[in-house]
Every structure is written in structure tokens, then in C-alpha cells.
Amino acid sequence: MQRLDKAFSSCKLFSRTEIAKVLKQRRVCVNEVVVTKPDFKVDLAVDKITLDGNIVSFNKYAYIMLNKPYGVVSSTDDGRDTTVIDILPSEFKRDGLFPVGRLDKDTVGLVILTDDGASAHKRLSPKTHAEKVYYFEVADEVLVDTAKEIEQGVLLKDGYTTKPCRVKLISSKSGEITLTEGKYHEIKRIFGAKGNKITFLKRIEFAGIKLDDSLGAGECRYLTESEIELFTK
Ligand code: URA
């Protein structure tokens, strides 16, 4: 058992002073009952604690799946554009959250946000070869032979040859591409090198974690236990 204000502050959700105010505003329930006392004792393994009606996660680290909408940037702080942190609902916000890897502003889909720097670093390390799967649409037809060439590696304009990848065509102008690296604008540059143009790009999987179909653009949820295992292994 521990004090309610301590539970919130040790998970970096609120400082002790902030949570005292939030409690006064009658926004916190423990097992469906409003609690206003900071020293109220809770057992995080058993008690259901909600803030503004939403269940609060008291895990040491937060792991969040976001379906990034179009026009939002994958950074923590941007003077001009709306960031993935800006659009998180308040109950998901906590200090130290950052997006794991980057999607372009005009790319949509799966972004994982966490404050677990060590696991994020591991997942992003080129040594781990975490697979990233994207659904793509292009302006012009992709021939089967072109898809095979892309799979073997493509020489980009800057002299870099991309690592082997997998391409599954769904139609002549759409498909899925699986990469194990994440170079700047990589997919756009791969198709550009083949004289084609990406018209739509959506990340649908990262390190074995699939984007939840039920999340609309801009919606998020916490990773499940098995997804956290895939992320932190
Ligand atoms: N490749 C791109 O070109 N853009 C992305 O956002 C991700 C991969």
C-alpha cells in the first residue's frame, strides 16, 4: 500500500503539489469512489484508479501506440507544427515521453511513444534489425521486376545502397514494404530512384507490433503486455 499522491508522483504523472490540486477538483476515483485526500492508501496491483474517468497506468514506464494523423510531426517539441506529444490526451501525458523513430509529416500510422530510453535505443539500433512495415500507394504502376529490384537494394542519389527488404504488391499501384533500417525519407527515395512517386504512406507494424485497426487517426492506447514484451525484449 502507498499514498495516492506518491503513486502519481513516482510515475511522473503529476508532482505532489499538482496531484493535490487535481484531487481537490474531484477528478480522481479509486474503485469508482471519488478520493480527495493525498494520503489515501492504494494498492496499485488491485485498485482501479481513474483520472477524469480514464484508467491511469502506474507502470514504471509508459508505452503508447499512436495512430499518427497526417500533418503532425514525430518530435517532442516543434516551434511551428503540431507534434505527436501535443495531440496526446491528457491522461496519457507524462514527462519524458518521446516518439520511437520518426515518420514524415505526411506519413500516417503507427508511432510508439515511451519514456523508456534504453528499450527505445535498442529497438532503433541498426544491430537489432527491427522490421518496419509500411502500406504504400504510388503514382505509377510498379512492375514485378521493379519490386524485385527494390528488394535487393536500391542505389539512392546520395550514393547509399539500401539494405535488402521485402515488397508485397497488393495492386499495380499499392503494396507493403518491410524495411529493417530507417534512413531519411527512405521509402520515398527508393520509389523516386525507380522513377515513381509515393502518394500515400502508412506504417502498419514496428518490431512485430501491429497498428491496432480500431484506432482512428490521432487515437492512442497503451501497449498490451505482449506488445511491451516485443518492444523491450
Ligand atoms: N520512409 C519515408 O519515406 N517516409 C517515412 O515517413 C518513413 C519511411
Side-chain angles (χ1 to χ4, degrees), residues 102-104 107 134 179 183-189 201:
R102 286 189 175 222
L103 288 185
D104 296 338
T107 300
Y134 296 81
L179 302 181
K183 300 285 176 207
Y184 180 67
H185 290 338
E186 183 158 356
I187 298 172
K188 289 175 185 156
R189 291 198 293 150
L201 192 58

Side-chain angles (χ1 to χ4, degrees), residues 14-41:
F14 291 109
S15 70
R16 296 280 268 269
T17 326
E18 283 166 346
I19 190 61
K21 281 189 202 145
V22 170
L23 290 168
K24 253 197 195 151
Q25 292 162 344
R26 307 180 63 81
R27 293 166 59 194
V28 176
C29 286
V30 178
N31 303 324
E32 319 286 346
V33 179
V34 173
V35 172
T36 55
K37 287 201 164 76
D39 62 354
F40 187 88
K41 295 285 189 304

Side-chain angles (χ1 to χ4, degrees), residues 180-222:
T180 52
E181 59 178 352
K183 300 285 176 207
Y184 180 67
H185 290 338
E186 183 158 356
I187 298 172
K188 289 175 185 156
R189 291 198 293 150
I190 287 174
F191 282 93
K194 293 291 173 194
N196 211 330
K197 191 175 186 316
I198 290 286
T199 54
F200 180 77
L201 192 58
K202 178 177 190 174
R203 182 152 69 190
I204 53 175
E205 194 175 321
F206 176 84
I209 300 164
K210 290 185 172 30
L211 177 65
D212 188 331
D213 286 343
S214 69
L215 292 178
E219 288 182 347
C220 63
R221 68 154 168 81
Y222 287 110

